[in-house]
Amino acid sequence: MNFPMQAWKKRKCEAASAKPCDGNGVCNNEGVCDCEAGYFGENCRLASGGQGYLPDSAKYLVWAIAILGIAFGCFCIAWSFVKRRSKVLKAAQPTFLYVISLGCIFSIAAIFPA
C-alpha cells in the first residue's frame, strides 16, 4: 500500500477501465481526466485533430446565424435613425438604442476567427 493514499475520486477514475482516460490523459485528484493536447471529452476519447470541434455543416449554420444577427442589428440602427423623431423613440433615447445595437453587433462578430 502506498502512503499517502490517493484521493478516492482519483482511485475510482483509475479503476474505471484498464486504460484510464482512454490512454490519452491522466486522472486528477478530483477524479476527472486531464487530457493530453489534441484530445478532449469526459474520458479523453475525442481527438480534435487540430481542426476544431464542429463539423463543417455546423460551422456554416453558425456563420449564417451570425450574419443574420449582424444584419438585424444594422436594421435596428437604421430603423432607430429613421424613426428618431417619433415620441416613442425619443422616450426610449435613440442614442441608447444605437449603443445597444452596436454592442450586439460586436458581441456577435466576436465569434468570427481573427
Side-chain angles (χ1 to χ4, degrees):
M1 195 173 275
N2 295 331
F3 290 99
M5 293 289 289
Q6 296 175 348
W8 283 106
K9 290 179 182 177
K10 182 175 182 175
R11 286 192 267 174
K12 185 178 179 184
C13 174
E14 290 176 346
S17 67
K19 289 172 36 176
C21 302
D22 213 39
N24 300 317
V26 294
C27 295
N28 64 20
N29 286 335
E30 300 297 318
V32 179
C33 292
D34 287 332
C35 303
E36 295 173 357
Y39 293 93
F40 67 100
E42 187 176 324
N43 295 319
C44 303
R45 288 187 181 146
L46 304 172
S48 67
Q51 301 297 319
Y53 305 129
L54 293 176
D56 286 339
S57 60
K59 288 179 187 177
Y60 298 138
L61 178 65
V62 169
W63 276 80
I65 291 171
I67 290 169
L68 285 173
I70 291 171
F72 183 71
C74 292
F75 168 78
C76 289
I77 290 172
W79 182 85
S80 297
F81 183 77
V82 169
K83 301 286 187 177
R84 69 185 182 277
R85 298 207 194 318
S86 71
K87 287 183 179 181
V88 173
L89 213 61
K90 282 183 181 178
Q93 301 174 354
T95 306
F96 176 72
L97 296 175
Y98 299 146
V99 170
I100 293 295
S101 295
L102 282 174
C104 291
I105 290 170
F106 288 138
S107 65
I108 290 171
I111 70 162
F112 296 119

